[in-house]
């Protein structure tokens, strides 16, 4: 049961506008830049997304300056740095919606399914392999990887003194890099 259906609808509607538009619709005007510099940020959603250059959360959701608190890392995996960012935005900026955004054609997921990476990339592919287990279908593995991050966030902040979990939604979604659409992963 969603606690913030209006916020989810705002993202869905933003994606609808993105699909219909020829360019990004988020407000990045000097006026909103000045306003957010003066009054601070009040993002309505936290988004954990992949670093893939084709996955731009603000564009996908037609969000402008100050509206979205975004943490991007290849494969949208979580470590303590991402969790710290989420903790800050949920606990101090009072965001009530956290979205883990996977995407089709994710190179990090593919690398994990092909046996994992070398060097620092291994930290990412190991985390993805932990999430997907024996699954080798890229689409299903992508969803499992997103759900793993959703579960981690729910677990880590289940009893946090500054984050009211009874008001918080943590949801997963998969973005299609070919047609620009969004699929919510409902429980
Ligand atoms: Zn990716």
């Amino acid at each position: 049961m969603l606690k913030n259906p209006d916020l989810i609808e705002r993202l869905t509607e933003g994606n609808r506008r993105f699909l219909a538009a020829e360019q990004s619709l988020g407000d990045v005007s000097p006026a909103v830049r000045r306003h957010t510099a003066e009054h601070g940020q009040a993002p309505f959603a936290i988004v954990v997304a992949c670093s893939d250059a084709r996955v731009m959360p603000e564009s996908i959701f037609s969000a402008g300056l100050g509206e979205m608190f975004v943490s991007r890392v290849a494969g949208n995996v979580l470590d303590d740095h991402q969790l710290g960012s989420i903790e800050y935005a949920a606990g101090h900026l009072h965001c009530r919606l956290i979205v883990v955004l996977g995407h089709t054609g994710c190179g990090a997921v593919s690398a994990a399914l092909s046996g994992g990476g070398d060097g620092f990339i291994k930290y990412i592919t190991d985390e993805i392999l932990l999430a997907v287990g024996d699954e080798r279908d890229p689409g299903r593995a992508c969803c499992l990887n997103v759900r793993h991050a959703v579960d981690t966030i729910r677990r880590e902040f289940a009893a946090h003194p500054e984050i009211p979990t009874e008001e918080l939604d943590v949801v997963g979604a998969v973005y299609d890099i070919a047609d620009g659409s969004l699929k919510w992963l409902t429980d």
Side-chain angles (χ1 to χ4, degrees):
M1 189 69 175
L2 292 170
K3 291 133 195 165
N4 303 282
D6 52 322
L7 299 183
I8 301 266
E9 178 51 31
R10 187 168 165 183
L11 291 179
T12 302
E13 172 55 24
N15 182 242
R16 257 185 234 122
R17 287 194 287 136
F18 167 69
L19 289 172
E22 291 182 359
Q23 59 187 40
S24 180
L25 294 168
D27 189 346
V28 293
S29 65
V32 73
R33 188 172 68 237
R34 282 191 296 271
H35 182 84
T36 51
E38 193 177 330
H39 299 283
Q41 57 175 329
F44 72 94
I46 301 165
V47 180
V48 179
C50 183
S51 299
D52 190 302
R54 299 164 293 183
V55 182
M56 299 167 62
E58 289 89 343
S59 295
I60 291 165
F61 296 115
S62 302
L65 292 172
E67 292 190 295
M68 202 165 266
F69 195 92
V70 178
S71 180
R72 289 178 70 177
V73 59
N76 40 269
V77 293
L78 295 173
D79 68 9
D80 289 352
H81 300 115
Q82 272 77 40
L83 290 170
S85 300
I86 293 166
E87 184 175 32
Y88 171 71
H92 295 268
L93 301 177
H94 312 296
C95 277
R96 292 295 172 260
L97 173 61
I98 303 170
V99 179
V100 178
L101 184 66
H103 68 99
T104 60
C106 183
V109 172
S110 298
L113 298 184
S114 307
D118 299 319
F120 290 106
I121 293 173
K122 189 173 178 344
Y123 289 106
I124 294 170
T125 52
D126 278 357
E127 181 69 13
I128 294 172
L129 284 169
L130 187 69
V132 307
D134 295 331
E135 181 60 62
R136 288 298 173 264
D137 174 76
R140 286 196 293 270
C142 173
C143 292
L144 286 172
N145 187 44
V146 168
R147 288 185 196 282
H148 176 70
V150 166
D151 290 345
T152 300
I153 294 167
R154 286 178 178 164
R155 186 180 65 245
E156 293 297 337
F157 298 123
H160 193 285
E162 291 169 336
I163 300 174
T165 49
E166 67 280 5
E167 297 174 12
L168 191 71
D169 287 309
V170 187
V171 296
V174 175
Y175 170 70
D176 188 317
I177 61 168
D179 68 15
S181 68
L182 196 69
K183 186 173 78 178
W184 293 104
L185 302 181
T186 49
D187 289 322

